[in-house]
Amino acid sequence: MCGIAGFYLREGKASLSAVRTMCDQIRHRGPDDEGYHVEAGCAIGMRRLSIIDLSTGHQPMANEDESVWVVFNGEIYNYQELRRDLLARGHRFVTNSDTETLVHLYEEQGAEGLRRLRGMFAYAIWDSRRRRMFLARDRFGKKPLYYAVLPEGLYFGSELKCLQAAGVPCDIDEEAIRLFFHFTYIPEPWSCFRAVRKLPPGSWMTYDADGTVRQGRYWRFPTPVAQTPADFSEAEVCGQLRDKFDESVRIRMIADVPLGAFLSGGIDSSSVVASMALTSPEPVRTFSIGFEESAFNELEYAAMVARQYHTDHHEIVVRPDAVDLVSRLVRHFDEPFGDSSAIPTFIVSEFAVRHVKVALSGDGGDELFAGYDRFQALEKLRKLDRLPRVFRAFTSWMADCLPYSAYGKNYLHMLSRSTALERYFESNFAPWFLRQELLQKDWMLPADSAYLTRALSEFLLPGNADLLSQALFFETTQNLPGDMLVKVDRMSMANSLEVRCPLLDHELGEVAAGIPHGWKIRDGKGKYILLRALGERLPAPLLNRAKMGFGVPLSLWFRGALRTFLWDHLGSASFTKRGIVSPAFVQQMLREHDSGRRDNSHWLWSLLMLELWFRQLDAQPARQHSAVYD
């Protein structure tokens, strides 16, 4: 696991000091080693967290004649199989690293070779013969890769701060900020800066000496199956699912350093730990986080799994004095990010890295197997299509007449939407009525879903797809890489910890997409087929408990330990003068929350993260773009 960065200039000679400066920004991603290759206008570099082949895994790595070089962030779990095939084809290896496999696979198959990789990755290859830079990212987007194409060349890095250090223009992308207010994160492929984009998951791109850019997709998440086929066999599917799940866990346990697992007490992480324990000859190291507030504490359930599988279990209880890390989080995300579960993710990563260098997690199960409560509510949204358009128009007018203080206004606005997809976005992300009150007019997205369906067309199925298929596809291809995986990557790598996600093995994901909806949701509960396949491995109390999100008692903290910090920032002159939000409405939200009348913690946290990000940006010195040249 590493952090990578570099650039390719169309004219001039690249500077070693510039690429080193870029990589210095991500030292936390790889504190064990560093390496660089500079050749004419190309400079690539890396910071390494040593996990596999500790003694000979130094990067950048090259092919036999040093005409192809690679810097790599991630893990390739089937590299040994690929290595054997490449050796048989005449390639020569000098290390035992998965990184070197990428060089020879590129020589052999170019971009087509990406289809053979099983893992999480973002990497850059410099092809000196073709004078070409090649970038690639894994299928689900577990590893980040930012890039900027400017008149003088291409810049890339694992984090935005790499590109900022190279002097890439930092003009704010206002459209991205508008989207932040809709999703509380900046969706793929946008970034907070107009000049910078994220390479989409499952994609590659090339940049040539003449400035030509080409992009391609080597994988797309399959369309989730809606109808149950006549030959569907529960026993057969459960067996296939169980085998593929165990295989996905097993190949992620390959490491030359101590390895453990996050254990939340939920179905997904508990299933991962159970599978690890059935494979490992030694007790699995497990790490759990809890809170003094009982509504957020899952330690009891995590302990049940730990006892059943005799794990080497470690627990930490977070108290409000731990929230002093709030300001630290902003630097690691580089752009506005409103998911407050970043706090426990950071803390459990910081806790685990005292004992291990790699941790397996249960991320992805809710998206693949319809575990979120919002999936179970979709049928109700679809049934509203039967209401006459005249009635829906009347409810929209009535909602507009009501003051914000009317608690039913959200439901009326949602009810008035003309399609079930619109209602899905309205009910699960930022509701229109709230954004209308909160934002100044210039910062509002259009009211209907036409803009979102156009802007996010890559993450939506064709219009005739059923609503649950649409939601599962969107959550997996956009919400997962844009929110969940960003959080896990930044918070774990901030602590130099590698996190692996067995449920996001692409072969397992393809199996999940092929399981009909009726076998994911049954009797109003999600993950039915997953529990049929793996449930007998888990303690009985876990199987029927209500789902608990991986959150923090933010609502209480905003009335206690974080209250002054929150009010000082959202009531500050700097926040007001930015001209983005309505100061009066922000004050209303603060008072409502403070009194306990309404829980506004989610939106207040997003606003706080936005203001902290702006202040961090304001404090950064302007960099000269010419710094990349010798």
Side-chain angles (χ1 to χ4, degrees):
M1 185 68 68
C2 305
I4 63 172
F7 52 89
Y8 178 23
L9 305 175
R10 296 175 62 186
E11 298 179 2
K13 186 178 179 182
S15 163
L16 172 61
S17 62
V19 71
R20 179 178 283 121
T21 298
M22 293 175 75
C23 289
D24 284 346
Q25 305 301 310
I26 50 173
R27 182 183 179 88
H28 54 278
R29 298 187 73 93
D32 298 333
D33 191 15
E34 62 182 312
Y36 309 95
H37 176 71
V38 179
E39 178 182 337
C42 165
I44 57 176
M46 54 74 67
R47 295 289 321 193
R48 184 185 181 208
L49 180 65
S50 302
I51 302 296
I52 292 176
D53 189 19
L54 305 186
S55 59
T56 65
H58 179 75
Q59 297 184 39
M61 289 188 184
N63 63 344
E64 297 89 339
D65 64 2
E66 297 190 345
S67 62
V68 178
W69 290 82
V70 65
V71 285
F72 166 56
N73 170 27
E75 304 288 351
I76 306 299
Y77 303 119
N78 64 333
Y79 79 96
Q80 293 171 332
E81 171 191 336
L82 295 171
R83 176 190 173 97
R84 287 191 294 269
D85 178 65
L86 291 164
L87 284 168
R89 293 175 180 273
H91 294 270
R92 299 194 307 275
F93 285 73
V94 296
T95 75
N96 295 314
S97 170
D98 55 345
T99 304
E100 193 176 4
T101 303
L102 300 175
V103 173
H104 299 296
L105 187 63
Y106 172 83
E107 285 185 290
E108 192 71 28
Q109 292 186 270
E112 279 299 306
L114 287 162
R115 301 180 188 276
R116 301 180 63 189
L117 298 179
R118 191 173 180 183
M120 56 178 182
F121 52 84
Y123 63 90
I125 285 180
W126 165 241
D127 185 337
S128 63
R129 287 200 191 101
R130 294 183 175 87
R131 314 303 293 174
R132 172 178 292 169
M133 190 74 78
F134 175 83
L135 305 178
R137 190 176 178 203
D138 68 66
R139 293 169 176 83
F140 281 106
K142 285 174 275 192
K143 293 293 100 183
L145 191 56
Y146 293 87
Y147 71 93
V149 177
L150 301 181
E152 72 270 24
L154 169 75
Y155 300 81
F156 68 88
S158 293
E159 298 185 13
L160 262 172
K161 56 180 67 69
C162 302
L163 280 71
Q164 290 176 272
V168 170
C170 294
D171 301 315
I172 293 173
D173 188 330
E174 294 184 356
E175 184 177 19
I177 302 301
R178 293 187 188 98
L179 285 164
F180 167 77
F181 281 110
H182 197 95
F183 296 106
T184 67
Y185 64 86
I186 293 178
E188 309 264 344
W190 284 268
S191 87
C192 55
F193 302 132
R194 285 203 300 267
V196 182
R197 287 294 177 261
K198 302 158 187 166
L199 187 67
S203 295
W204 57 266
M205 71 173 288
T206 59
Y207 182 88
D208 291 339
D210 62 357
T212 299
V213 177
R214 295 181 179 87
Q215 285 199 28
R217 294 289 295 264
Y218 66 92
W219 188 81
R220 290 181 185 273
F221 184 66
T223 299
V225 171
Q227 300 299 320
T228 302
D231 60 349
F232 183 87
S233 166
E234 178 185 348
E236 183 178 330
V237 170
C238 283
Q240 181 187 18
L241 186 56
R242 189 163 44 245
D243 291 345
K244 188 60 67 176
F245 181 87
D246 287 340
E247 180 189 47
S248 299
V249 170
R250 184 175 65 254
I251 62 177
R252 283 164 178 77
M253 294 176 68
I254 299 171
D256 297 329
V257 295
L259 175 143
F262 293 156
L263 179 57
S264 70
I267 297 297
D268 302 327
S269 66
S270 299
S271 297
V272 169
V273 168
S275 183
M276 293 174 72
L278 294 172
T279 300
S280 176
E282 301 294 332
V284 177
R285 296 181 178 94
T286 52
F287 303 91
S288 300
I289 185 171
F291 298 90
E292 291 181 322
E293 295 82 0
S294 59
F296 293 83
N297 198 335
E298 295 186 278
L299 289 179
E300 172 190 356
Y301 297 99
M304 290 180 189
V305 179
R307 286 194 298 270
Q308 179 168 325
Y309 289 100
H310 307 288
T311 72
D312 178 10
H313 191 52
H314 307 263
E315 295 180 349
I316 183 172
V317 175
V318 180
R319 295 175 173 83
D321 57 2
V323 299
D324 62 354
L325 63 84
V326 169
S327 296
R328 295 166 57 193
L329 300 184
V330 179
R331 181 179 185 276
H332 288 293
F333 286 112
D334 288 332
E335 56 185 355
F337 186 78
D339 188 341
S340 61
S341 65
I343 294 174
T345 306
F346 181 95
I347 294 171
V348 75
S349 297
E350 184 181 51
F351 181 49
V353 82
R354 302 172 193 169
H355 306 272
V356 298
K357 253 186 153 176
V358 179
L360 273 61
S361 79
D363 297 308
D366 289 313
E367 290 80 4
L368 295 180
F369 295 98
Y372 292 128
D373 292 341
R374 54 182 174 265
F375 291 133
Q376 284 88 71
L378 291 178
E379 181 61 17
K380 296 177 182 178
L381 298 181
R382 189 186 63 78
K383 287 180 178 178
L384 294 177
D385 287 342
R386 303 170 187 169
L387 295 175
R389 287 183 178 273
V390 173
F391 177 78
R392 280 188 248 148
F394 174 73
T395 60
S396 179
W397 171 82
M398 188 165 59
D400 287 337
C401 293
L402 291 173
Y404 170 76
S405 57
Y407 276 71
K409 187 174 184 179
N410 183 18
Y411 180 77
L412 290 174
H413 266 284
M414 184 273 293
L415 184 67
S416 69
R417 295 309 186 196
S418 60
T419 69
L421 183 60
E422 288 182 346
R423 291 191 286 274
Y424 162 73
F425 280 116
E426 178 74 14
S427 60
N428 293 301
F429 299 99
W432 164 259
F433 82 96
L434 185 143
R435 287 181 287 125
Q436 189 177 37
E437 297 282 350
L438 174 64
L439 300 176
Q440 302 287 0
K441 184 177 180 180
D442 291 344
W443 290 92
M444 286 289 294
L445 289 176
D448 60 24
S449 65
Y451 169 81
L452 286 179
T453 53
R454 183 176 64 254
L456 302 173
S457 60
E458 285 289 306
F459 311 99
L460 294 171
L461 298 170
N464 60 349
D466 70 282
L467 183 57
L468 182 54
S469 293
Q470 283 280 21
L472 288 168
F473 189 82
F474 179 81
E475 296 279 354
T476 303
T477 61
Q478 176 58 265
N479 219 36
L480 179 69
D483 185 348
M484 180 72 70
L485 296 180
V486 168
K487 173 191 68 179
V488 172
D489 175 81
R490 302 307 189 279
M491 296 296 89
S492 61
M493 295 309 296
N495 292 286
S496 304
L497 176 75
E498 175 178 308
V499 173
R500 300 175 178 177
C501 309
L503 280 155
L504 292 178
D505 182 276
H506 79 274
E507 293 186 9
L508 179 59
E510 289 168 352
V511 171
I515 296 174
H517 298 341
W519 291 87
K520 292 176 182 174
I521 298 177
R522 183 71 61 88
D523 298 326
K525 295 182 180 180
K527 299 183 183 174
Y528 175 82
I529 194 70
L530 186 67
L531 288 172
R532 294 290 290 173
L534 304 173
E536 63 182 15
R537 298 177 177 181
L538 304 179
L542 265 68
L543 303 181
N544 298 311
R545 58 174 296 224
K547 181 174 177 56
M548 183 183 294
F550 190 49
V552 294
L554 195 60
S555 180
L556 297 175
W557 289 356
F558 275 166
R559 298 186 187 107
L562 268 180
R563 183 185 184 279
T564 300
F565 186 78
L566 176 73
W567 282 69
D568 285 351
H569 282 79
L570 298 192
S572 66
S574 65
F575 186 55
T576 300
K577 289 178 180 178
R578 300 191 195 282
I580 298 176
V581 300
S582 162
F585 187 70
V586 171
Q587 288 297 312
Q588 179 180 336
M589 292 178 74
L590 287 167
R591 290 192 300 270
E592 279 184 338
H593 186 85
D594 214 35
S595 67
R597 180 169 181 264
R598 183 178 294 185
D599 182 359
N600 289 325
S601 57
H602 174 68
W603 298 108
L604 293 174
W605 173 263
S606 297
L607 293 172
L608 178 62
M609 292 297 100
L610 180 67
E611 173 59 11
L612 289 171
W613 174 76
F614 269 120
R615 292 191 184 193
Q616 176 182 279
L617 194 64
D618 293 342
Q620 292 175 353
R623 289 185 171 91
Q624 295 299 315
H625 206 53
S626 60
V628 297
Y629 299 95
D630 267 338

